[in-house]
Amino acid sequence: MGQKLWYRLGGLLTIAGGLAFGWWGIWLPLEAARAHAPEVRYQIPIFVLVPAMLVFGLYFLIGGGAWPYRNVEKQTPTAMGWALMIVVAICSGASFWWLTTTFDALGYRNG
């Protein structure tokens, strides 16, 4: 198998992992809140992990590693790496905001 195929397979597995973590860490607490559970808990790091897995998984699935996201010699991100991290940050913030406002609307207050 070619290297691009391995990158794409890795991207597909990363997306599957991101969906699994999203189901466990975001969807299940949301469903518990919708069912009016007395207490609902979620972990803040899930809002970084899930978007990172989905964004990078999609990046590898589409590009197959064609565009470098890091400079190996300097150990720094490339412009593509910075762009990916900006997308992850936006998705992380938006998903956290969405879930907290949804919880507030369902009567679950933070703090």
Side-chain angles (χ1 to χ4, degrees), residues 27-109:
W27 184 258
L28 288 180
L30 182 59
E31 286 299 304
R34 288 180 177 153
H36 305 291
E39 184 176 335
V40 178
R41 291 182 182 219
Y42 57 89
Q43 301 294 321
I44 302 282
I46 204 77
F47 295 100
V48 176
L49 179 67
V50 170
M53 290 181 80
L54 295 177
V55 167
F56 275 90
L58 190 61
Y59 163 76
F60 284 121
L61 183 66
I62 292 170
W67 313 293
Y69 66 95
R70 64 187 174 105
N71 183 329
V72 178
E73 294 169 0
K74 294 182 182 179
Q75 303 261 334
T76 58
T78 63
M80 177 61 77
W82 283 113
L84 290 169
M85 290 310 296
I86 289 169
V87 172
V88 168
I90 290 169
C91 292
S92 293
S95 63
F96 181 74
W97 171 82
W98 171 77
L99 191 73
T100 55
T101 56
T102 302
F103 275 10
D104 286 346
L106 291 171
Y108 294 88
R109 301 284 183 249

